[in-house]
Amino acid sequence: MVTAPPTPEPTPTRTPNVSPPPAPTFTNTPAPTPVLKGDVDCDGELTLEDSMNILRTTGKVQTQSGGCPSNGDVDCSGIVEALDALLVLRVVAGLTNVGCG
């Protein structure tokens, strides 16, 4: 009679020490400040000074340094021009609102 070899006893395996994944962290990021078209000095309001800065820049009297020169494109034409300065003056005078279109 042929007998089968004895079945080996299972050897216990060790599970490695695994730490749980770290909890996710969240940071509160402030909402982006809306762009005020024409506010080239970034003071949060449209003033005569904004219009003058646009005119000085378009007339090559000065170069825009600092501030928000991209806000000078009030009519959304893709370029900052004297018409944008006029639109700022109209808003300052209460004749129109700022907006593209």
Side-chain angles (χ1 to χ4, degrees):
M1 171 173 201
V2 177
T3 59
T7 308
E9 298 258 339
T11 55
T13 58
R14 295 182 78 192
T15 54
N17 267 344
V18 177
S19 302
T25 56
F26 300 96
T27 55
N28 290 331
T29 336
T33 306
V35 172
L36 179 58
K37 291 290 191 180
D39 181 21
V40 293
D41 60 5
C42 292
D43 65 356
E45 57 188 22
L46 288 179
T47 61
L48 176 63
E49 189 63 32
D50 292 309
S51 178
M52 294 302 297
N53 283 337
I54 292 171
L55 283 175
R56 288 183 192 115
T57 302
T58 58
K60 308 290 188 228
V61 175
Q62 76 179 23
T63 57
Q64 180 73 34
S65 60
C68 305
S70 61
N71 290 353
D73 183 18
V74 180
D75 63 356
C76 302
S77 65
I79 56 172
V80 178
E81 55 193 343
L83 176 60
D84 296 307
L86 176 63
L87 291 173
V88 170
L89 286 176
R90 291 180 55 84
V91 171
V92 170
L95 300 175
T96 189
N97 292 328
V98 173
C100 299

